[in-house]
């Protein structure tokens, strides 16, 4: 009897943990294939530390082949689904087409930058979802400070030293907190004529609006103490090459607009022919797509019913994605006689927010922490959650604690290669390779 073929599309938190759990449950009794554009799992929560030079990119890129040795990795971007023939079609990094047959399919496509119909944003803003965007932002910050050193026009110099972040949620708050520290250090090292200015903009009434108020107060205090101008109840009305116009009428000259207003499901979801709800694939409490018993969907791309909030889907967070992945593995294994199929359940473990340096805010298991205690909890949480490279990460943290950061721009990623409207933020946009003859 042929072994069941389980195909997982997407190697983010949901897909990775689905593959990892299923290999342990299957014990060689299933062929597991993972389709992903890259050969690594990106640990997104530590991405701000890459942008400011604390961590090297490979430290937060966990090798899929090394950490999932019994899983077959297919490099490619899935683009269509044949429900009748039970196969998923993909495009490999060199433009070639291929397909993989399945007996059970897990769709874990993840999410991309959320877009809003604001003039100029798609042209002049950059997101923060992948290593290419983090590398671009690092080089861009260094470049702006260095160009300000030789800029004779005071207005132009001030614009280059002004950095605007839109979105005061988890990502935007961390980017602003880390970014202001990094650029202030750069300005002092290079003796810039003026100190950098950071502006954090959000329509919400407080920073970190999705988290508890104590964490919001902690983050707001740290940001303001570092000189970040926090503009709440405000958004971008128009983005231009040389600045942004806000909804309160202000115009801020700047060369930097970082877009962190949230995420949306991978647009590939729309081409799969499956039922969706606000762009996310509809699933039942067992993570199964109704009417398609062979197909499951998890993570940001799935509208998983939230048992704690009936009628709503679980939020697009790493915690839920990890748990989705583990539960879908159990349910698929149950179909083949191992364990029992169960509905998705979760318990909030709390959140951690790294504000750079010795500052963090956290509420593990509902216990509010700030300052150094929160920093220790935050780093401990990340080390426990990181599937690999832990010693390397700790090594980088220790080096950063005792040695000054190397602030140079390598020019590996340019602005046009990381557009905001990008269906695959984990990959830079480059000209297509020549077709084979």
């Amino acid at each position: 009897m042929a072994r069941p073929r389980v195909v997982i599309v997407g190697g983010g938190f949901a897909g990775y943990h689905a593959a990892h759990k299923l290999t342990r449950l299957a014990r060689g009794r299933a062929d597991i294939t993972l389709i992903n554009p890259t050969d690594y799992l990106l640990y997104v929560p530590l991405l701000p530390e890459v942008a400011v030079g604390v961590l090297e990119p490979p430290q937060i890129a966990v090798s899929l082949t090394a950490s999932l040795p019994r899983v077959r990795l297919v490099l490619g971007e899935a683009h269509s689904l044949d429900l009748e023939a039970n196969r998923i079609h993909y495009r490999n990094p060199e433009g070639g087409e291929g397909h993989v047959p399945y007996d059970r399919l897990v769709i874990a496509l993840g999410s991309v930058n959320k877009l809003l119909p604001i003039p100029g944003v798609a042209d002049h803003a950059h997101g923060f979802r992948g290593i290419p965007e983090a590398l671009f932002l690092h080089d861009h910050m260094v470049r702006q400070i260095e160009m300000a050193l030789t800029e004779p026009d005071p207005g132009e110099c001030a614009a280059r030293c002004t950095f605007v972040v839109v979105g005061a949620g988890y990502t935007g708050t961390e980017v602003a907190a880390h970014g202001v520290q990094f650029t202030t250090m750069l300005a002092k090292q290079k003796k810039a004529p003026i100190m950098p200015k950071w502006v954090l903009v959000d329509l919400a009434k407080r920073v970190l609006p999705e988290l508890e108020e104590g964490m919001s107060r902690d983050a707001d205090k740290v940001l303001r103490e570092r000189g970040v101008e926090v503009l709440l109840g405000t958004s971008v009305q128009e983005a231009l090459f040389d600045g942004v116009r806000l909804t309160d009428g202000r115009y801020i000259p700047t060369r930097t607009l970082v877009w962190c207003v949230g995420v949306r499901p991978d647009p590939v979801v729309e081409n799969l022919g499956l039922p969706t709800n606000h762009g996310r694939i509809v699933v039942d409490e067992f993570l199964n797509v109704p009417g398609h018993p062979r197909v499951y969907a998890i993570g940001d791309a799935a509208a998983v019913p939230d048992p704690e909030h009936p009628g709503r889907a679980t939020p697009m967070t790493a915690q839920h994605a990890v748990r989705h992945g583990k539960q879908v593995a159990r349910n698929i294994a149950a179909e083949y006689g191992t364990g029992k199929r169960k509905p998705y359940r979760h318990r909030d473990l709390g959140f951690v927010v790294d504000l750079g340096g010795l500052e963090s805010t956290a509420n593990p298991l509902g216990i509010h922490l700030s300052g150094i205690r929160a920093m220790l909890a935050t780093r401990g949480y990340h080390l426990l959650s990181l599937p690999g490279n832990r010693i390397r990460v700790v090594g980088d943290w220790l080096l950063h604690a005792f040695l000054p950061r190397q602030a140079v721009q390598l020019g590996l990623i340019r602005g046009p290669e990381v557009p905001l409207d990008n269906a695959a933020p984990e990959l830079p946009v480059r000209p297509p390779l020549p077709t084979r003859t």
Side-chain angles (χ1 to χ4, degrees):
M1 181 178 177
R3 295 190 300 179
R5 300 164 300 181
V6 181
V7 177
I8 302 169
V9 182
F13 285 111
Y16 175 89
H17 284 279
H20 185 266
K21 186 71 174 180
L22 195 55
T23 55
R24 297 178 63 182
L25 294 172
R27 298 179 182 177
R29 293 172 294 172
D31 292 327
I32 305 171
T33 299
L34 179 64
I35 302 175
N36 199 56
T38 66
D39 63 352
Y40 61 82
L41 159 73
L42 176 63
Y43 190 75
V44 178
L46 291 179
L47 200 58
E49 297 197 38
V50 171
V52 298
V54 173
L55 295 177
E56 294 295 321
Q59 318 305 40
I60 66 168
V62 178
S63 170
L64 294 174
T65 52
S67 57
L68 300 173
R70 290 179 288 174
V71 175
R72 173 179 171 240
L73 174 65
V74 174
L75 285 179
E77 295 180 73
H79 60 77
S80 61
L81 172 63
D82 189 336
L83 291 167
E84 294 185 0
N86 295 327
R87 60 188 183 187
I88 187 83
H89 294 263
Y90 68 91
R91 186 174 297 107
N92 69 32
E94 296 183 350
E97 296 287 337
H99 69 269
V100 180
Y102 65 82
D103 295 307
R104 293 295 181 273
L105 176 67
V106 179
I107 300 172
L109 285 168
S111 55
V112 299
N113 294 308
K114 183 179 181 180
L115 300 177
L116 296 176
I118 299 174
V121 165
D123 298 321
H124 304 298
H126 295 282
F128 198 77
R129 293 286 298 164
I131 287 178
E133 292 170 324
L135 292 176
F136 165 75
L137 181 59
H138 177 274
D139 278 8
H140 180 79
M141 289 187 291
V142 177
R143 185 164 53 250
Q144 297 311 304
I145 299 297
E146 290 179 340
M147 292 182 71
L149 296 176
T150 56
E151 178 56 58
D153 181 355
E156 181 70 12
C157 179
R160 292 196 179 279
C161 291
T162 300
F163 303 86
V164 179
V165 179
V166 184
Y170 188 96
T171 301
T173 297
E174 288 198 334
V175 168
H178 282 270
V180 68
Q181 274 195 321
F182 179 60
T183 53
T184 299
M185 178 205 71
L186 283 177
K188 291 178 179 178
Q189 282 183 355
K190 299 177 183 294
K191 297 180 173 57
I194 61 174
M195 294 304 292
K197 175 184 177 182
W198 281 73
V199 182
L200 181 61
V201 179
D202 200 303
L203 279 172
K205 296 181 179 179
R206 59 185 176 92
V207 300
L208 300 175
E210 68 275 27
L211 303 184
E212 66 171 26
E213 290 192 15
M215 298 180 71
S216 176
R217 287 193 298 269
D218 291 343
D220 189 274
K221 179 182 177 182
V222 170
L223 290 169
R224 295 181 190 274
E225 286 178 348
R226 292 179 183 170
V228 177
E229 185 176 2
V230 181
L231 300 180
L232 301 174
T234 307
S235 186
V236 174
Q237 181 178 341
E238 182 182 14
L240 302 169
F241 170 77
D242 57 359
V244 293
R245 193 177 308 282
L246 304 181
T247 52
D248 63 3
R250 291 182 56 181
Y251 181 78
I252 302 177
T254 182
R255 298 293 180 273
T256 309
L257 182 59
V258 187
W259 193 255
C260 302
V261 299
V263 295
R264 60 189 171 110
D266 191 312
V268 172
V269 167
E270 302 171 359
N271 302 324
L272 299 182
L274 298 172
T276 60
N277 180 12
H278 294 90
R280 304 171 75 182
I281 299 171
V282 174
V283 297
D284 59 22
E285 68 272 24
F286 298 99
L287 309 174
N288 197 210
V289 179
H292 301 281
R294 294 174 178 263
V295 182
Y296 292 82
I298 55 176
D300 291 353
V304 178
D306 189 340
E308 300 295 320
H309 302 91
R312 291 165 54 182
T314 55
M316 296 184 184
T317 65
Q319 279 192 33
H320 281 291
V322 169
R323 295 169 189 171
H324 291 173
K326 292 179 179 180
Q327 188 59 52
V328 81
R330 296 187 189 100
N331 288 349
I332 291 174
E335 292 192 49
Y336 294 101
T338 300
K340 184 178 179 181
R341 197 165 179 253
K342 294 182 179 180
Y344 176 68
R345 294 287 183 268
H346 73 89
R347 177 171 175 249
D348 187 3
L349 299 178
F351 292 90
V352 297
V353 181
D354 185 354
L355 300 172
L358 299 178
E359 295 291 348
S360 293
T361 181
N363 65 341
L365 301 176
I367 302 171
H368 180 251
L369 301 175
S370 60
I372 293 179
R373 290 193 306 161
M375 183 271 290
L376 294 174
T378 297
R379 294 200 165 178
Y381 172 83
H382 288 320
L383 288 177
L384 288 174
S385 302
L386 189 63
N389 300 344
R390 294 187 180 99
I391 294 177
R392 291 186 172 91
V393 168
V394 171
D396 275 2
W397 281 342
L398 290 175
L399 286 173
H400 167 64
F402 296 102
L403 297 175
R405 283 180 246 182
Q406 292 180 304
V408 295
Q409 49 167 324
L410 300 178
L412 298 176
I413 303 291
R414 292 293 181 177
E417 296 174 339
V418 284
L420 182 62
D421 189 5
N422 187 0
E426 65 272 18
L427 299 172
V429 176
R430 300 232 166 105
L433 296 172
T435 57
R436 295 177 180 176
T437 58

